[in-house]
Amino acid sequence: RGIIQVNRQLDLHGLSREEALDALEPFISSARSAAEKAVLIITGKGLHSVGEPVLQQAVAGWLRDQGRNMITEYAPAPQEMGGGGAFVVFLRSLDKPPTD
């Protein structure tokens, strides 16, 4: 009750911004097709990035914009699942169209 199990994860460590963004749509589409309710997307905290962290902001932007029809919401992962270095993404069911 009230607990959603996360069975799939996408680890974007070591990928460029473009590679990471290209991986999101197929991953989320596949999870939705498998009737998953939520997934974990690991961006890392950007501690090894030159300058500021890149993947966190890029992934959040993609989820907010391009991914909005496939997801209902996203949030930083709980500490035991990666905390600020990951997002839990709640997926929109294939049989429920977006309500925008």
Side-chain angles (χ1 to χ4, degrees), residues 15-94:
L15 298 184
S16 70
R17 180 184 185 280
E18 292 74 26
E19 291 169 331
L21 295 179
D22 287 346
L24 291 172
E25 192 278 329
F27 173 72
I28 290 175
S29 291
S30 173
R32 288 179 70 211
S33 294
E36 297 286 346
K37 303 248 186 262
V39 294
L40 183 68
I41 297 177
I42 302 166
T43 61
K45 295 180 181 176
L47 300 178
H48 301 290
S49 294
V50 176
E52 62 189 42
V54 174
L55 291 183
Q56 281 182 342
Q57 292 176 349
V59 168
W62 189 94
L63 292 169
R64 184 181 57 248
D65 299 331
Q66 293 94 328
R68 73 181 176 273
N69 292 330
M70 295 187 288
I71 71 169
T72 57
E73 65 180 298
Y74 66 96
Q79 200 60 38
E80 65 274 10
M81 295 174 77
F87 292 107
V88 174
V89 179
F90 298 93
L91 305 176
R92 190 177 305 281
S93 169
L94 286 177

